[in-house]
Every structure is written in structure tokens, then in C-alpha cells.
Amino acid sequence: MEVLSEAIAAKGLRRSRQRDAIARTFFVMGGHVPVEALVEAVRRQEPGVSVATVYRTMKLLADVGLAVPRDFGDGRARYEAAHRRHAHSHDHLVCTGCGRIAEFESHQIEALQRRLARRHGFEVERRHVELYGRCAGCRAAGKGADAA
Ligand SMILES: [Zn+2]
Ligand SMILES: [Zn+2]
């Protein structure tokens, strides 16, 4: 929250009760939070909060590196907290049957990323690797993208 306060001050914005509630709720929820679910959760404490304010606040969190925008192709804008425990980026397995999202970290992908960057004289700022398919549960139930 201190990092957030500083970032808000640096942007010449005032700290507001709504913005604080949005940030706190987001970090408490954890995981890959759809913005619409965040709006719902925040409105339980701040009934007057607008969708636009939630989007603006999440963009601010992303700008200062506290949150990472995620898009898993289901038409829902999501954000994920930028965790310190992830020194390296992590990637995602997305089930097209039930929407379950699993995370993985791969040293091979890290190494490949470094190699490609070197070869192309490129500096990587962020990466999104998403594998889409059916999770073990959906496969066992014979459920897939067709059934969704
Ligand atoms: Zn599934
Ligand atoms: Zn994740």
C-alpha cells in the first residue's frame, strides 16, 4: 500500500477511499482477477464505485508494476498481482472447458527467451505464454471447448 501511495502522489493524484478499497480488495482476492468480479467485490464496501474508476485504478497499479494485465481470450479483462516470489515471469495453462488457470515456471522458456533476445539484440519487457487446452478434470469428464 505504501508503494501505491507513492505512485499515486507521483502521478499528482489524490489518494481516495475508493482507490484504496479497490487496491486492497484486489490484493486480498489474489489469483487472476476479472475486473468485473473486482467491481462486484469492491461494491460490497463502496457501493458507489464506478466501473471506470476500477479500470483506472487497475491501470495505475499496472503502470507502477504492482499488477499485471492478463487476457486469456475469454473476453474478460483480468489483472494479477505482481508477486515478489516470482523473480521470473510465470506462464499459464488455460482450460477451455472450465476456465481453470494453472501457472507454471519453466527454466527452458527463460533460457529460450534470453537466447532469442540476444540473437535479435532485443530487450524483453514482458512475455505472455499461454497454453490452451483441457485440464485433467475436463478430460476425465469428456468435456471440452465444444461443450463450453
Ligand atoms: Zn477444465
Ligand atoms: Zn498467473
Side-chain angles (χ1 to χ4, degrees), residues 16-58:
S16 76
R17 205 182 61 196
Q18 288 194 347
R19 221 176 268 136
D20 284 0
I22 293 162
R24 205 172 305 114
T25 306
F26 168 68
F27 289 117
V28 167
M29 285 172 87
H32 310 91
V33 183
V35 174
E36 68 223 51
L38 181 59
V39 171
E40 229 172 83
V42 173
R43 279 187 178 157
R44 268 174 239 136
Q45 316 154 46
E46 297 284 335
V49 78
S50 74
V51 175
T53 300
V54 175
Y55 271 97
R56 268 202 308 273
T57 302
M58 291 317 298

Side-chain angles (χ1 to χ4, degrees), residues 32-33 68-80 92 94 101 128-132:
H32 310 91
V33 183
V68 183
R70 298 289 188 200
D71 176 0
F72 295 127
D74 59 358
R76 308 174 88 188
R78 297 167 190 264
Y79 282 92
E80 173 168 28
H92 298 94
V94 183
I101 296 157
H128 295 286
V129 175
E130 280 130 31
L131 304 178
Y132 293 88

Side-chain angles (χ1 to χ4, degrees), residues 113-114 116-117 122-127:
Q113 176 178 316
R114 275 195 301 275
L116 284 170
F122 198 80
E123 189 185 306
V124 177
E125 290 167 353
R126 57 182 174 270
R127 108 175 161 239

Side-chain angles (χ1 to χ4, degrees), residues 104-123:
F104 66 94
E105 286 181 57
S106 161
H107 297 298
Q108 283 98 325
I109 290 178
E110 295 285 340
L112 175 64
Q113 176 178 316
R114 275 195 301 275
R115 217 159 48 233
L116 284 170
R118 204 177 316 121
R119 190 185 307 156
H120 293 272
F122 198 80
E123 189 185 306

